[in-house]
Amino acid sequence: MSDATMATPSNTSAGATIRPDEAAHFGKLARDWWDPKGSSAMLHRLNPVRLRFIRQAIDMHWGGDVESAKPLAGKSALDVGCGAGLLTEPLHRLGADATGVDAAPENIGAAAAHADRTGLDIRYLAGELGSHDLGRFDLVCAMEVLEHVADKAVFLRELVLHLEEDGLLILSTPNRTAQSRMLMVGAAERIGLIPAGTHDWNDFVTPDELRELLRFSGLTMSEPKGIAFGVSKGLHLSDDLSLNYIVTARRA
């Protein structure tokens, strides 16, 4: 399931890449986003796995104190396609000056309301990423977003424009495999683990394709880490890339 449907600015040469139907689909889920038993239940299960990877990645990238509760203190973080802030809030709690951007105004409303109720100072903005004068960030995240944009190359270039020279980009996305088609699109949507209509298998990106896209954007991609599912382990980091994977990227 995607955290959002964020895309690149409408004033790029390739045009806007927000898909209105995608934004509308996820906007309808906004009020239920923070319910761990609601339509976004799978994201609640996925979030700790992503955060485990993020914590390891930022410790390795900046070489900070691995025992620190706020390894992002003094750093800025941008969560692109933030949905209702399920990842943005933990980034803030890790010490970052956090900003979330999403294509669906309903999601931004839910995110801002939740942050307000919990006393978190997070900036949330709706619309095209490039329509806001945000500058650059130390950490840029786009989780489960790439498969929902119309122009992946343009979207990635926009992410790079918002990345500091020594910054870190973290992406996660489903892999286009027979297994993901059968389990993520077929079984999971059919039995309601993921809301119907969330995924189009043809839009999934393989690790090799993502590596090339990032290379054309001037970034070097790490070796991907799989996000797998097992009956005993649930969702977990794995060497199995067949369903979903997560990577870091930095300037070459």
Side-chain angles (χ1 to χ4, degrees), residues 117-137:
R117 288 196 301 270
T118 50
L120 301 180
D121 183 16
I122 298 174
R123 175 174 52 173
Y124 285 113
L125 300 163
E128 298 278 4
L129 178 58
S131 68
H132 304 288
D133 185 16
L134 296 178
R136 293 187 175 187
F137 295 78

Side-chain angles (χ1 to χ4, degrees), residues 237-249:
L237 294 175
S238 168
D239 292 330
D240 181 2
L241 308 178
S242 62
L243 292 181
N244 201 306
Y245 62 98
I246 188 168
V247 302
T248 64

Side-chain angles (χ1 to χ4, degrees), residues 48-71:
V49 182
R50 300 188 301 194
L51 285 166
R52 190 173 303 119
F53 179 91
I54 290 170
R55 177 62 202 248
Q56 294 171 354
I58 60 180
D59 284 342
M60 290 181 62
H61 184 70
W62 283 292
D65 179 5
V66 296
E67 302 295 328
S68 172
K70 294 186 178 296

Side-chain angles (χ1 to χ4, degrees), residues 102-220:
D102 195 87
E106 301 93 333
N107 290 339
I108 291 302
H114 193 272
D116 185 61
R117 288 196 301 270
T118 50
L120 301 180
D121 183 16
I122 298 174
R123 175 174 52 173
Y124 285 113
L125 300 163
E128 298 278 4
L129 178 58
S131 68
H132 304 288
D133 185 16
L134 296 178
R136 293 187 175 187
F137 295 78
D138 299 299
L139 174 66
V140 175
C141 296
M143 302 298 189
E144 314 302 307
V145 181
L146 189 60
E147 67 271 25
H148 298 289
V149 302
D151 192 323
K152 295 171 175 56
V154 174
F155 175 70
L156 289 172
R157 286 200 296 272
E158 185 64 33
L159 295 183
V160 174
L161 289 176
H162 286 81
L163 188 66
E164 288 282 9
E165 289 297 323
D166 62 345
L168 182 66
L169 174 65
I170 303 181
L171 297 162
S172 66
T173 191
N175 196 356
R176 195 175 68 256
T177 64
Q179 295 95 318
S180 69
R181 186 171 198 165
M182 178 178 64
L183 295 175
M184 292 184 67
V185 180
E189 292 196 16
R190 186 171 61 250
I191 66 176
L193 286 176
I194 298 172
T198 293
H199 290 131
D200 182 341
W201 182 81
N202 294 300
D203 280 326
F204 289 1
V205 180
T206 69
D208 286 343
E209 289 168 347
L210 180 55
R211 190 183 302 278
E212 281 302 293
L213 285 166
L214 288 168
R215 184 175 68 82
F216 281 118
S217 296
L219 299 185
T220 299

